[in-house]
Amino acid sequence: MRFDVITLFPELFAPFQSVGVTRRAFENKSVDVRLWPLRDFAEDTYRRVDDRAYGGGPGMVMLVEPLGKALAAIQADQAAQGLSPLPVVLFSPAGKPLTQARVQSLAQSAGAVLLCGRYEGIDQRFIDAHVDEEVSLGDYVLSGGELPALTLIDAVARLQPGVLNDAASHQQDSFSDGLLDCPHYSRPEVLAINGVDRPVPEVLMSGHHAHIAKWRREQQLAITARRRPELIEIARQSGALSKEDERFLKTFLL
Ligand code: 4GN
């Protein structure tokens, strides 16, 4: 898959290409990130990409002209590679919240154009004409769309085949079945922290795989019910909860 990123700060993307899981995804070519520095498409003498807002007020607005040229260059490149135009995604606090379900569907797609805004915003006419989907990471404001774009690329890259160490490990992730993840433990068997002994839960040392699986599932259900009760209802409606799960939740909620 490929991501074409329109940004004023392409240098923010370099570190992800050289470390960790995202590096593996780039190296094995399962994710191709192409950066399109917006300033390169501002052809006037000052290389302007922004201007003052009609109607007044503080802050600058991203101009349609350079954005349009960048997008045209991207779409020409996609066509030259025999690809149909990829959907254009804009990161904005006004977007639809990004979910693991949306990440999973993007991970199986041909990719997207990721538009990273800066300043107060983008001229609405560019959004109306070209943006297919507005996505938000959450209810807070950032100085630009680059961190959301990197977040999306990371979330999608780690789902590509051959990118995680263990193919089964993302079936265990938080949200993969709509529930939060269970806790994890490794050596040593007992930790002393500030005079308090903290052993690993006994069931995990038992070697009894069915008991361990049941304990982990119950931990997932308990943690989700306590911290994010609305996710229990969503999991229920999507058919992700078994009769056993429901039985456990009933005893737990009393
Ligand atoms: C996305 C973009 C927050 C999010 C952003 C978010 C850049 N802030 N919650 N800031 O996903 C106006 C134009 C703000 C660009 C945009």
Side-chain angles (χ1 to χ4, degrees), residues 60 62 90-96 98 115-122 127 135-149:
M60 305 294 269
M62 290 176 83
L90 170 65
F91 298 99
S92 143
K96 239 177 94 176
L98 183 63
L115 174 50
C116 306
R118 285 267 157 182
Y119 315 117
E120 290 319 294
I122 294 172
I127 299 173
V135 171
S136 170
L137 292 196
D139 291 339
Y140 43 82
V141 181
L142 302 166
S143 57
E146 284 79 8
L147 288 170

Side-chain angles (χ1 to χ4, degrees), residues 179-183 203 210-226 232 244-249 251-252:
L179 300 176
L180 302 180
D181 199 3
C182 61
V203 60
H211 288 178
I212 293 171
K214 177 168 182 279
W215 179 85
R216 286 181 170 155
R217 183 69 179 178
E218 291 177 355
Q219 289 288 309
Q220 278 195 281
L221 292 163
I223 291 164
T224 307
R226 223 180 281 122
I232 294 285
E244 297 242 300
D245 292 338
E246 295 289 6
R247 206 175 313 135
F248 174 76
L249 282 170
T251 65
F252 174 79

Side-chain angles (χ1 to χ4, degrees), residues 42 87 125 174:
R125 295 167 295 181
S174 282

